[in-house]
Amino acid sequence: MTTVTATLFLLIVTFSILPPSESYNHQPLILPLSLSSPKISDEFALIVDTGSTVTYVPCNTCDQCGNHQNPKFQPDLSNTYHPVKCNPDCTCNDDNDQCIYETQYAEMSSSSGILGEDLITFGNLSELKPQRAVFGCENAETGDLYSQRADGIMGLGRGELSIVDQLVEKGVIDDSFSLCYGGMDVGEGAMVLGQVSPPADMVFTHSDSSRSEYYNIELKELHVAGKKLDIDPQVFDGKYGTVLDSGTTYAYLPEAAFVAFKQAIMNELNGLKRIRGPDPNYNDICFSGAGSDISELSKTFPSVDMVFENGQKYLMSPENYLFKHSKVPGAYCLGVFQNGKDLTTFLGDQLFSVMGQT
């Protein structure tokens, strides 16, 4: 069984958070990653995603890629780059001479291209020396991937193409990584590749690596203001179970859990006014009157506990489950949503100070 952790870790590789759009508060975690050789050194801003495995950057051959933060990768200028040749372990192109990849994400965007290998550097502050790794040289992208500011995705999920699994296979790092989040308005964080000593107040839960490529955990209960919600624990075990996904900002619950959570939160709020959300295309649940001081939110909004199968509780402060209303000062919206008819529970990066896998 894999252990998933949630608390603070050491800072080794730093990342930033892109500014939210004008209407919506999605703030993906961005890691600087460089592809380099004696001739070139190209840096790319990648969204750190534990919910997928492929790491990719747009290549100069991509005619169906949007305008992103940095110029496209030019593999012809790198004398350390080479494409991955067709083999029995990969999907091959029509000419049967190169390995290709194609991946689709939950919001229905997609990325496809060829697989290549080059030297990869994890930011200027990384203690890890440049390593050869396989990644996607993107030739096409659709949906939100086309319009996002970030150049691509760094996949940290389980699988052969995962950068973490590649480094573990090479013996470069232990089979462990951690992500640390700065919190609302902080805008920075860090990633640790490899094992570190856990603090005394670490909260542990288990993940069944045989169930799926996702980091699913065994969530059993939700408490609001110390009160257990009337939710059947099986609700959190549908489809892929409860999944930690750093590529998702917020939390998405099955209908029964969402309805109970929303009502419990609203029952605890006094003196706040229900208002419309920042984007008329979304039916956000927002409240004004809480004030602009984030450190004072706990005086207005209740605490929330997640209880795992081992009985351990992970305490979430209001800033973990709220996001700022982008148009009304002192107003906040629930960063917890109903996951349509999907039975999977997705827990995004905003809910945690740290998520890690050992």
Side-chain angles (χ1 to χ4, degrees):
M1 299 285 280
T2 302
T3 300
V4 176
T5 60
T7 190
L8 290 178
F9 269 130
L10 302 176
L11 311 184
I12 294 183
V13 180
T14 61
F15 51 70
S16 60
I17 298 181
L18 286 180
S21 65
E22 180 179 347
S23 61
Y24 220 60
N25 229 3
H26 181 72
Q27 300 177 326
L29 305 175
I30 304 298
L31 173 78
L33 181 142
S34 297
L35 300 172
S36 60
S37 76
K39 289 185 179 180
I40 62 171
S41 181
D42 289 340
E43 183 170 291
F44 301 92
L46 304 186
I47 294 176
V48 178
D49 184 20
T50 59
S52 63
T53 57
V54 177
T55 294
Y56 76 84
V57 298
C59 283
N60 61 342
T61 53
C62 186
D63 295 327
Q64 301 178 50
C65 289
N67 295 319
H68 302 298
Q69 186 169 329
N70 296 290
K72 297 173 182 175
F73 177 55
Q74 301 182 63
D76 291 343
L77 298 183
S78 172
N79 59 12
T80 55
Y81 171 87
H82 63 77
V84 178
K85 294 181 180 180
C86 183
N87 63 76
D89 296 325
C90 76
T91 301
C92 299
N93 61 2
D94 292 339
D95 296 329
N96 287 321
D97 60 354
Q98 294 185 28
C99 292
I100 61 174
Y101 80 93
E102 182 173 0
T103 184
Q104 183 167 303
Y105 299 90
E107 81 287 358
M108 303 308 293
S109 60
S110 65
S111 172
S112 60
I114 66 170
L115 293 177
E117 185 178 73
D118 206 342
L119 289 171
I120 291 181
T121 303
F122 301 93
N124 295 330
L125 300 179
S126 174
E127 298 179 4
L128 191 64
K129 295 180 180 179
Q131 300 291 327
R132 295 198 65 84
V134 174
F135 63 95
C137 183
E138 185 186 48
N139 288 326
E141 60 188 12
T142 66
D144 290 346
L145 296 182
Y146 188 91
S147 58
Q148 71 184 14
R149 183 183 172 194
D151 300 305
I153 302 286
M154 180 179 182
L156 296 180
R158 298 185 177 103
E160 293 180 350
L161 293 178
S162 169
I163 291 292
V164 170
D165 283 14
Q166 290 185 61
L167 295 178
V168 171
E169 183 70 21
K170 291 174 179 287
V172 176
I173 63 171
D174 296 325
D175 190 6
S176 178
F177 73 89
S178 310
L179 301 175
C180 176
Y181 306 99
M184 189 182 291
D185 277 357
V186 175
E188 293 183 351
M191 178 171 70
V192 177
L193 296 175
Q195 182 68 52
V196 293
S197 298
D201 60 349
M202 183 74 72
V203 176
F204 291 93
T205 185
H206 295 291
S207 179
D208 184 1
S209 59
S210 64
R211 179 168 184 171
S212 73
E213 70 272 22
Y214 301 115
Y215 297 106
N216 56 296
I217 61 176
E218 297 181 3
L219 179 63
K220 294 299 183 183
E221 300 173 8
L222 285 178
H223 296 185
V224 173
K227 305 169 188 174
K228 178 183 174 182
L229 303 189
D230 186 17
I231 304 173
D232 186 337
Q234 293 301 314
V235 168
F236 302 114
D237 198 41
K239 198 175 180 178
Y240 295 116
T242 298
V243 174
L244 296 179
D245 184 5
S246 68
T248 298
T249 301
Y250 306 115
Y252 295 84
L253 305 179
E255 182 177 8
F258 172 74
V259 170
F261 178 81
K262 177 186 71 172
Q263 191 59 51
I265 293 291
M266 295 180 68
N267 289 344
E268 296 295 327
L269 300 182
N270 298 305
L272 298 185
K273 180 182 178 181
R274 175 85 181 266
I275 62 173
R276 294 182 63 86
D279 190 330
N281 295 315
Y282 296 92
N283 188 28
D284 291 324
I285 300 171
C286 304
F287 305 91
S288 63
S292 299
D293 189 346
I294 295 173
S295 66
E296 298 291 315
L297 286 180
S298 59
K299 295 181 179 179
T300 307
F301 292 92
S303 62
V304 174
D305 291 302
M306 289 190 295
V307 183
F308 303 116
E309 92 294 337
N310 54 10
Q312 292 203 44
K313 292 183 179 181
Y314 177 71
L315 173 65
M316 291 190 292
S317 62
E319 70 176 271
N320 292 123
Y321 65 81
L322 298 172
F323 66 88
K324 276 187 172 182
H325 196 297
S326 59
K327 296 181 178 178
V328 180
Y332 300 86
C333 307
L334 281 185
V336 179
F337 305 92
Q338 182 177 330
N339 197 19
K341 297 301 180 181
D342 195 328
L343 300 180
T344 303
T345 299
F346 286 102
L347 304 181
D349 55 56
Q350 184 167 304
L351 274 68
F352 297 92
S353 298
V354 159
M355 64 172 69
Q357 177 259 324
T358 61

